[in-house]
Amino acid sequence: MADQTQLYHSGSLTDGWRLFGAHPATEGDVHGWWFNVWAPHAKAVSVVGDFNGWDLTVDPLTQKGEFWQGFLPDLPVYTSYKYAITGEDGRVHYKADPYGFHTETRPGTASKLYDIEHFSWTDEDFRRNKQPVYHQPLNIYEVHLGSWRKHENGEFLDYRDMARQLAAYVKEMGYTAVELLPVTEHPLDDSWGYQCTGYFAPTSRFGTPEDFMWFVNHLHESNIPVILDWVPAHFCKDEQGLYEFDGTCCYEYADPRKREHAGWGTRVFDYGRPEVVSFLLSSARFWLEMYHIDGIRVDAVASMLYLDYGRQDGQWTPNIHGGRENLEAVEFLRKLNTMAFEVDPNVLMIAEESTAWPLVTKPADVGGLGFNLKWNMGWMNDMCHYLKLDPWFRQDHHRDLTFSMMYAFSENYVLPISHDEVVHMKGSVVGKMPGDYENQLRCTRGFYAYLLAHPGKKLLFMGPEIGQWHEWDSNGQLDWYLLEHEENQQLHAFFKAANAFYKAESALWDIDFDWQGFEWLVSDDNHNNVVVFLRRDQAGNELLCAVNFSPNDYENYRVGVPPRKRYVPAFTTDAPEFGGSGFADTKPLTVKDTPSHGKEQSVALRLPAFGAVFLRGEGSFTKRGSATKVKKVKNRKRS
């Protein structure tokens, strides 16, 4: 206990859930629960609930320095409780347990007694066989559990039903991992979990802590890693939460120019306070260790790094050097990532960081933040802007397609088309595309192929694979009825086939973070809205990737290529079974001794409108041939 207390006060306690909260205990022959809570400025603390009529005089805790502790006998599992904390000013604050494992279902706000130590895990093979992400395929399906699928009466699926259906679906569709919007307990459905009150409690909306363990275990049995969104940047100001926990600023900054995110209506964690650092480190380790989570996506990292984030001049406090960098948050993130890789060497630590902060995915001991992946927000913004343009105007915005390669290997990037891109009047992924619904589906296929081909790991929020055209509604569910229509069935089949193709082609993922895995062939054809490039794996296998963002079919589109003997069609978005016209090449293309694009040899491709083609390079060049002219075949209808 003394050693743990010392670690806690030094910001180095990483398993604080074992010290704090409510735990089964025995005193003499009496079974009960031992409580321990940090409330440094409290005058008194007691445990209250229905079991004692919420009377703060019945079960007081004893003060031990900054902690309040005590034993309560004969309370059953699931008993609801809160801490009644009397502040220095005499006011009483009724607080949920910061380290509570289970909670009442909203609108209830109390913690519930729960023992998490007895689940029987069966995922040993999965955990033993995990591999580092760097040279592996990673295609993440991002899911909001509350709105992926519901019962016919509109009620939530529970964790176990969700696990069965989600694991089967993800496995069928060929995604390689699942990322969940926050499941840490939160009072408001509309916050999607990003304003939470329970950093050690999976939300009770879908069941018990053991049910969520079953969820993770079941996905692991289907060989599906589980990534959690986690929010150490801020917390909500609901009375039962961490907000002014003992009547003073315990978990948030006391400085009014640092403690508030006014735009979000939330409080900012005090990263300079060791006890807060221990709390957050313990929360992250808790999910990795106790729930076998495979990765943590850290939300809103930019808001942590900059003291002036969302603040006007004069409304923020500089650091000790007079700068805008939050040095305490930087140190916390380095400690977080170092700790995470000690718990699991193959963990995915993913930063949602929207600025050009350097070395986000470099190790902490060389000056980096220590993540191993970072969302590429620049690529996402450029692509969403480009996709919404009428194709006639895309020629003036070709940079949106190509600029990402100026910095593509500065970090280990994930290419995200996330939930943030399909809410708040931004429309669905399909709805961003120009033209009528037929062309929107065609554009969606072409764009997804481009996403899979571009260097970087992948993430796509649920819905585009069925042609979802409504903007995401967190209170509803995906429009699964669309799969009653042939065109949506064809799109669904495309996503399944594209994901399988991605996993099978090592050139698309083996070298994601280095120029050795990528080569431009055509980067400047803005007039035709075309980009062509090569992807390579470590063995030297080549995959030619050509994407046509125009409404025109192009025949004999000549491209300079390396000296291969031929290029063999491997995949196209325009296949008839996907709803396409079948315009792309179906037979091997012989490389000609015709210079083009700075190469001595070239091939002539057929590029379908709004489509993509992939061809494998084979053999070594030995023949000579003649050139042909590019022919624009037709302009697909646009509305």
Side-chain angles (χ1 to χ4, degrees):
M1 175 70 176
D3 290 342
Q4 286 182 303
T5 299
Q6 185 177 1
L7 289 172
Y8 180 68
H9 287 308
S10 68
S12 302
L13 184 66
T14 62
D15 60 347
W17 73 89
R18 306 188 197 279
L19 175 64
F20 296 103
H23 298 272
T26 301
E27 289 197 357
D29 295 329
V30 179
H31 298 287
W33 297 79
W34 176 259
F35 295 84
N36 188 16
V37 62
W38 177 62
H41 299 104
K43 290 176 61 178
V45 178
S46 59
V47 182
V48 295
D50 287 338
F51 59 89
N52 62 14
W54 296 88
D55 186 340
L56 55 82
T57 66
V58 175
D59 293 303
L61 299 181
T62 301
Q63 186 174 12
K64 300 288 186 181
E66 295 185 352
F67 309 130
W68 297 79
Q69 303 167 348
F71 176 78
L72 275 65
D74 300 326
L75 295 178
V77 173
Y78 299 117
T79 295
S80 296
Y81 71 98
K82 284 186 178 180
Y83 295 116
I85 302 175
T86 304
E88 293 177 325
D89 59 1
R91 290 190 301 158
V92 179
H93 307 270
Y94 292 89
K95 295 291 187 178
D97 193 336
Y99 289 84
F101 298 143
H102 192 26
T103 63
E104 292 181 330
T105 303
R106 49 88 177 109
T109 59
S111 300
K112 299 176 78 170
L113 297 177
Y114 199 90
D115 185 358
I116 63 169
E117 297 289 346
H118 304 295
F119 183 76
S120 297
W121 292 92
T122 59
D123 62 349
E124 295 84 1
D125 290 344
F126 170 84
R127 287 162 62 81
R128 184 171 51 250
N129 293 327
K130 285 200 298 185
Q131 299 292 321
V133 68
Y134 309 104
H135 301 290
Q136 297 294 322
L138 182 62
N139 187 9
I140 303 167
Y141 188 60
E142 188 188 29
V143 177
H144 176 253
L145 289 182
S147 61
W148 181 69
R149 192 187 294 273
K150 290 185 175 180
H151 290 294
E152 290 184 2
N153 62 4
E155 292 183 356
F156 294 132
L157 299 179
D158 63 32
Y159 284 123
R160 297 186 186 225
D161 284 341
M162 183 73 71
R164 295 183 186 97
Q165 296 190 35
L166 185 61
Y169 182 78
V170 168
K171 193 171 183 178
E172 175 195 0
M173 293 302 295
Y175 296 100
T176 68
V178 165
E179 181 174 316
L180 304 180
L181 271 65
V183 297
T184 40
E185 191 57 85
H186 50 283
L188 180 66
D189 289 1
D190 290 344
S191 79
W192 315 330
Y194 288 99
Q195 296 192 14
C196 76
T197 52
Y199 278 78
F200 294 82
T203 177
S204 58
R205 287 166 174 80
F206 314 118
T208 67
E210 187 169 298
D211 290 332
F212 186 59
M213 290 177 179
W214 197 95
F215 175 98
V216 177
N217 191 70
H218 186 75
L219 265 68
H220 284 178
E221 289 181 333
S222 297
N223 203 37
I224 301 169
V226 180
I227 303 164
L228 291 190
D229 256 359
W230 184 64
V231 191
H234 60 119
F235 59 89
C236 63
K237 299 196 297 186
D238 291 59
E239 176 59 29
Q240 77 276 12
L242 301 176
Y243 171 73
E244 297 182 7
F245 188 72
D246 63 1
T248 67
C249 294
C250 289
Y251 290 90
E252 63 266 72
Y253 282 110
D255 183 345
R257 294 186 297 178
K258 296 173 71 173
R259 72 178 175 218
E260 191 94 11
H261 274 314
W264 298 338
T266 56
R267 286 288 170 91
V268 180
F269 281 106
D270 184 349
Y271 309 107
R273 190 162 195 171
E275 295 83 2
V276 175
V277 172
S278 288
F279 172 82
L280 290 171
L281 293 178
S282 295
S283 173
R285 179 177 169 185
F286 176 78
W287 296 105
L288 297 175
E289 189 169 305
M290 300 305 295
Y291 283 87
H292 293 196
I293 294 302
D294 306 289
I296 293 176
R297 180 263 196 184
V298 180
D299 180 62
V301 171
S303 74
M304 302 169 66
L305 293 174
Y306 297 99
L307 293 163
D308 63 346
Y309 187 92
R311 296 177 175 88
Q312 301 298 317
D313 291 343
Q315 296 180 353
W316 58 278
T317 300
N319 63 34
I320 58 174
H321 305 298
R324 58 196 284 254
E325 300 82 9
N326 189 331
L327 304 179
E328 298 161 348
V330 170
E331 181 61 24
F332 161 71
L333 290 170
R334 289 171 174 164
K335 292 181 72 171
L336 166 70
N337 288 310
T338 299
M339 180 271 300
F341 285 101
E342 290 172 352
V343 173
D344 178 2
N346 295 317
V347 70
L348 303 175
M349 293 301 293
I350 307 169
E352 188 222 8
E353 203 286 305
S354 55
T355 74
W357 186 281
L359 306 179
V360 172
T361 57
K362 298 300 183 289
D365 59 6
V366 298
L369 292 184
F371 292 93
N372 58 353
L373 294 170
K374 172 185 173 177
W375 276 19
N376 192 334
M377 309 295 280
W379 173 88
M380 175 271 296
N381 285 318
D382 286 347
M383 286 308 304
C384 287
H385 174 259
Y386 184 84
L387 293 172
K388 290 184 286 188
L389 292 171
D390 184 294
W392 177 262
F393 299 105
R394 286 178 173 176
Q395 62 182 327
D396 299 320
H397 297 272
H398 198 68
R399 175 183 179 276
D400 288 345
L401 291 180
T402 59
F403 182 69
S404 60
M405 291 310 302
M406 298 295 290
Y407 61 88
F409 308 117
S410 61
E411 302 279 6
N412 299 337
Y413 281 116
V414 174
L415 308 180
I417 299 296
S418 74
H419 62 281
D420 279 330
E421 309 319 310
V422 293
V423 290
H424 303 320
M425 305 301 292
K426 296 177 184 176
S428 67
V429 170
V430 173
K432 297 181 192 302
M433 307 300 175
D436 58 17
Y437 192 54
E438 179 184 352
N439 271 315
Q440 286 179 319
L441 296 181
R442 184 178 289 114
C443 290
T444 299
R445 297 196 303 268
F447 165 63
Y448 190 64
Y450 180 66
L451 167 68
L452 295 180
H454 190 289
K457 306 308 179 185
K458 326 297 177 188
L459 178 141
L460 188 72
F461 187 57
M462 61 188 195
E465 77 275 12
I466 64 173
Q468 177 94 10
W469 61 274
H470 285 118
E471 185 174 78
W472 173 49
D473 176 9
S474 63
N475 294 313
Q477 67 171 334
L478 294 186
D479 292 336
W480 295 106
Y481 66 85
L482 290 172
L483 292 179
E484 299 172 5
H485 305 298
E486 182 182 12
E487 57 196 349
N488 298 91
Q489 294 170 4
Q490 291 171 331
L491 181 69
H492 204 234
F494 161 75
F495 270 84
K496 181 177 179 180
N499 290 344
F501 179 72
Y502 166 74
K503 286 198 296 184
E505 292 293 329
S506 58
L508 292 177
W509 43 259
D510 188 22
I511 311 178
D512 265 328
F513 307 132
D514 191 282
W515 276 107
Q516 294 181 17
F518 178 90
E519 180 184 347
W520 276 121
L521 297 179
V522 181
S523 62
D524 58 354
D525 190 2
N526 64 305
H527 294 294
N528 289 315
N529 307 147
V530 170
V531 289
V532 188
F533 50 87
L534 290 178
R535 295 300 309 276
R536 293 189 179 93
D537 64 15
Q538 294 180 88
N541 297 307
E542 291 178 349
L543 193 66
L544 186 153
C545 314
V547 190
N548 176 11
F549 289 95
S550 84
N552 304 309
D553 291 325
Y554 295 120
E555 189 171 11
N556 296 324
Y557 187 96
R558 185 155 294 279
V559 178
V561 295
R564 295 288 189 178
K565 182 177 182 179
R566 59 183 171 268
Y567 279 84
V568 179
F571 189 78
T572 175
T573 64
D574 201 47
E577 60 266 31
F578 304 148
S581 64
F583 179 77
D585 293 293
T586 58
K587 296 181 180 180
L589 303 180
T590 301
V591 175
K592 302 294 185 181
D593 191 11
T594 303
S596 184
H597 299 94
K599 302 283 189 182
E600 295 182 2
Q601 296 83 28
S602 61
V603 293
L605 308 173
R606 289 165 63 89
L607 301 183
F610 296 131
V613 297
F614 296 86
L615 302 94
R616 297 188 190 95
E618 294 183 354
S620 298
F621 177 77
T622 56
K623 296 182 179 180
R624 301 176 65 86
S626 59
T628 54
K629 294 184 179 181
V630 175
K631 180 180 179 183
K632 184 184 296 186
V633 178
K634 63 180 177 179
N635 184 290
R636 293 280 174 87
K637 64 179 180 178
R638 292 186 289 118
S639 62

